[in-house]
Short mmCIF file of all heavy atoms in Angstrom, two decimals:
data_model
loop_
_atom_site.label_atom_id
_atom_site.label_comp_id
_atom_site.label_asym_id
_atom_site.label_seq_id
_atom_site.Cartn_x
_atom_site.Cartn_y
_atom_site.Cartn_z
N THR A 1122 93.13 70.79 91.29
CA THR A 1122 91.87 70.51 91.98
C THR A 1122 92.13 70.54 93.49
O THR A 1122 93.28 70.50 93.95
CB THR A 1122 91.35 69.11 91.61
OG1 THR A 1122 92.36 68.13 91.95
CG2 THR A 1122 91.04 69.01 90.12
N ASP A 1123 91.06 70.59 94.26
CA ASP A 1123 91.22 70.56 95.72
C ASP A 1123 91.89 69.26 96.16
O ASP A 1123 92.67 69.25 97.12
CB ASP A 1123 89.86 70.72 96.40
CG ASP A 1123 89.36 72.16 96.33
OD1 ASP A 1123 90.17 73.06 96.05
OD2 ASP A 1123 88.15 72.37 96.54
N ARG A 1124 91.59 68.17 95.44
CA ARG A 1124 92.19 66.87 95.78
C ARG A 1124 93.71 66.94 95.70
O ARG A 1124 94.41 66.56 96.66
CB ARG A 1124 91.67 65.79 94.82
CG ARG A 1124 92.50 64.51 94.83
CD ARG A 1124 92.17 63.59 93.65
NE ARG A 1124 93.19 62.57 93.51
CZ ARG A 1124 94.26 62.66 92.72
NH1 ARG A 1124 94.45 63.74 91.99
NH2 ARG A 1124 95.13 61.67 92.64
N SER A 1125 94.23 67.44 94.60
CA SER A 1125 95.69 67.51 94.43
C SER A 1125 96.31 68.53 95.39
O SER A 1125 97.39 68.29 95.95
CB SER A 1125 96.03 67.87 92.98
OG SER A 1125 95.70 66.81 92.10
N SER A 1126 95.63 69.66 95.57
CA SER A 1126 96.16 70.70 96.47
C SER A 1126 96.28 70.18 97.89
O SER A 1126 97.31 70.38 98.56
CB SER A 1126 95.25 71.93 96.44
OG SER A 1126 95.21 72.50 95.15
N HIS A 1127 95.22 69.51 98.38
CA HIS A 1127 95.24 68.98 99.75
C HIS A 1127 96.29 67.88 99.90
O HIS A 1127 96.96 67.80 100.94
CB HIS A 1127 93.86 68.46 100.15
CG HIS A 1127 92.90 69.55 100.52
ND1 HIS A 1127 92.94 70.17 101.74
CD2 HIS A 1127 91.89 70.14 99.83
CE1 HIS A 1127 92.00 71.09 101.81
NE2 HIS A 1127 91.35 71.10 100.66
N PHE A 1128 96.43 67.03 98.88
CA PHE A 1128 97.44 65.97 98.96
C PHE A 1128 98.83 66.57 99.09
O PHE A 1128 99.64 66.16 99.93
CB PHE A 1128 97.39 65.06 97.74
CG PHE A 1128 98.61 64.20 97.59
CD1 PHE A 1128 98.80 63.09 98.40
CD2 PHE A 1128 99.61 64.53 96.67
CE1 PHE A 1128 99.95 62.32 98.29
CE2 PHE A 1128 100.76 63.77 96.56
CZ PHE A 1128 100.92 62.65 97.37
N LEU A 1129 99.13 67.55 98.23
CA LEU A 1129 100.46 68.17 98.27
C LEU A 1129 100.74 68.81 99.61
O LEU A 1129 101.80 68.61 100.21
CB LEU A 1129 100.57 69.20 97.15
CG LEU A 1129 100.68 68.67 95.72
CD1 LEU A 1129 100.52 69.79 94.70
CD2 LEU A 1129 102.02 67.97 95.51
N LEU A 1130 99.76 69.56 100.11
CA LEU A 1130 99.98 70.27 101.37
C LEU A 1130 100.06 69.31 102.54
O LEU A 1130 100.90 69.47 103.44
CB LEU A 1130 98.86 71.29 101.58
CG LEU A 1130 99.13 72.37 102.63
CD1 LEU A 1130 100.48 73.02 102.41
CD2 LEU A 1130 98.03 73.41 102.61
N ASP A 1131 99.21 68.28 102.57
CA ASP A 1131 99.26 67.28 103.65
C ASP A 1131 100.61 66.56 103.65
O ASP A 1131 101.19 66.30 104.71
CB ASP A 1131 98.13 66.26 103.50
CG ASP A 1131 96.77 66.85 103.81
OD1 ASP A 1131 96.71 67.89 104.49
OD2 ASP A 1131 95.75 66.27 103.37
N THR A 1132 101.10 66.24 102.44
CA THR A 1132 102.38 65.54 102.31
C THR A 1132 103.53 66.40 102.82
O THR A 1132 104.38 65.95 103.59
CB THR A 1132 102.64 65.14 100.85
OG1 THR A 1132 101.60 64.26 100.40
CG2 THR A 1132 103.98 64.45 100.69
N LEU A 1133 103.55 67.67 102.40
CA LEU A 1133 104.63 68.56 102.81
C LEU A 1133 104.60 68.83 104.30
O LEU A 1133 105.64 68.85 104.96
CB LEU A 1133 104.54 69.88 102.03
CG LEU A 1133 104.70 69.76 100.51
CD1 LEU A 1133 104.51 71.12 99.84
CD2 LEU A 1133 106.06 69.18 100.15
N ALA A 1134 103.39 69.01 104.85
CA ALA A 1134 103.27 69.23 106.30
C ALA A 1134 103.73 67.99 107.06
O ALA A 1134 104.40 68.10 108.10
CB ALA A 1134 101.83 69.57 106.65
N GLY A 1135 103.37 66.81 106.55
CA GLY A 1135 103.77 65.56 107.20
C GLY A 1135 105.28 65.36 107.20
O GLY A 1135 105.83 64.68 108.08
N LEU A 1136 105.96 65.93 106.21
CA LEU A 1136 107.41 65.82 106.11
C LEU A 1136 108.13 66.91 106.91
O LEU A 1136 109.37 66.98 106.91
CB LEU A 1136 107.85 65.87 104.65
CG LEU A 1136 107.43 64.67 103.78
CD1 LEU A 1136 107.74 64.93 102.31
CD2 LEU A 1136 108.13 63.40 104.25
N GLY A 1137 107.34 67.76 107.57
CA GLY A 1137 107.92 68.76 108.46
C GLY A 1137 108.27 70.09 107.82
O GLY A 1137 108.92 70.94 108.46
N TYR A 1138 107.82 70.33 106.59
CA TYR A 1138 108.13 71.61 105.94
C TYR A 1138 107.19 72.69 106.46
O TYR A 1138 105.98 72.48 106.58
CB TYR A 1138 108.01 71.48 104.42
CG TYR A 1138 109.05 70.55 103.84
CD1 TYR A 1138 108.71 69.27 103.38
CD2 TYR A 1138 110.39 70.93 103.78
CE1 TYR A 1138 109.66 68.41 102.87
CE2 TYR A 1138 111.35 70.07 103.27
CZ TYR A 1138 110.97 68.81 102.82
OH TYR A 1138 111.94 67.96 102.32
N THR A 1139 107.76 73.85 106.74
CA THR A 1139 106.97 74.95 107.31
C THR A 1139 106.92 76.17 106.39
O THR A 1139 106.17 77.10 106.64
CB THR A 1139 107.58 75.39 108.65
OG1 THR A 1139 108.97 75.72 108.46
CG2 THR A 1139 107.45 74.28 109.68
N LYS A 1140 107.72 76.16 105.32
CA LYS A 1140 107.73 77.26 104.36
C LYS A 1140 107.69 76.66 102.95
O LYS A 1140 108.52 75.80 102.62
CB LYS A 1140 108.97 78.14 104.53
CG LYS A 1140 109.08 78.76 105.93
CD LYS A 1140 110.42 79.44 106.13
CE LYS A 1140 110.49 80.79 105.47
NZ LYS A 1140 111.76 81.52 105.83
N VAL A 1141 106.74 77.13 102.12
CA VAL A 1141 106.57 76.59 100.78
C VAL A 1141 106.77 77.70 99.76
O VAL A 1141 106.03 78.68 99.74
CB VAL A 1141 105.19 75.95 100.58
CG1 VAL A 1141 105.08 75.31 99.20
CG2 VAL A 1141 104.91 74.92 101.66
N LEU A 1142 107.78 77.53 98.90
CA LEU A 1142 107.99 78.45 97.79
C LEU A 1142 107.13 77.96 96.63
O LEU A 1142 107.42 76.92 96.03
CB LEU A 1142 109.47 78.48 97.39
CG LEU A 1142 109.85 79.47 96.29
CD1 LEU A 1142 109.64 80.91 96.75
CD2 LEU A 1142 111.30 79.25 95.84
N CYS A 1143 106.06 78.68 96.33
CA CYS A 1143 105.09 78.27 95.31
C CYS A 1143 105.45 78.91 93.98
O CYS A 1143 105.16 80.10 93.75
CB CYS A 1143 103.68 78.67 95.73
SG CYS A 1143 103.14 78.02 97.32
N VAL A 1144 106.05 78.16 93.08
CA VAL A 1144 106.46 78.68 91.77
C VAL A 1144 105.39 78.28 90.74
O VAL A 1144 105.32 77.13 90.33
CB VAL A 1144 107.84 78.15 91.36
CG1 VAL A 1144 108.28 78.77 90.04
CG2 VAL A 1144 108.87 78.43 92.44
N GLY A 1145 104.54 79.25 90.39
CA GLY A 1145 103.47 78.97 89.44
C GLY A 1145 102.38 78.09 90.01
O GLY A 1145 101.68 77.41 89.26
N THR A 1146 102.19 78.11 91.34
CA THR A 1146 101.15 77.28 91.97
C THR A 1146 100.25 78.14 92.86
O THR A 1146 100.30 78.04 94.09
CB THR A 1146 101.78 76.15 92.81
OG1 THR A 1146 102.66 76.74 93.79
CG2 THR A 1146 102.58 75.20 91.93
N PRO A 1147 99.41 79.00 92.26
CA PRO A 1147 98.56 79.89 93.07
C PRO A 1147 97.56 79.16 93.95
O PRO A 1147 97.25 79.63 95.05
CB PRO A 1147 97.85 80.76 92.01
CG PRO A 1147 97.94 79.98 90.74
CD PRO A 1147 99.22 79.22 90.82
N ARG A 1148 97.05 78.00 93.49
CA ARG A 1148 96.09 77.26 94.30
C ARG A 1148 96.71 76.79 95.61
O ARG A 1148 96.07 76.76 96.66
CB ARG A 1148 95.56 76.05 93.51
CG ARG A 1148 94.46 76.41 92.52
CD ARG A 1148 93.11 76.53 93.22
NE ARG A 1148 92.10 77.15 92.40
CZ ARG A 1148 91.28 76.50 91.60
NH1 ARG A 1148 91.37 75.18 91.49
NH2 ARG A 1148 90.38 77.14 90.90
#
Side-chain angles (χ1 to χ4, degrees):
T1122 58
D1123 285 344
R1124 164 193 166 267
S1125 291
S1126 298
H1127 282 282
F1128 165 75
L1129 288 169
L1130 196 49
D1131 289 341
T1132 299
L1133 297 177
L1136 292 172
Y1138 294 107
T1139 55
K1140 301 171 78 173
V1141 184
L1142 184 65
C1143 303
V1144 183
T1146 57
R1148 280 279 167 91

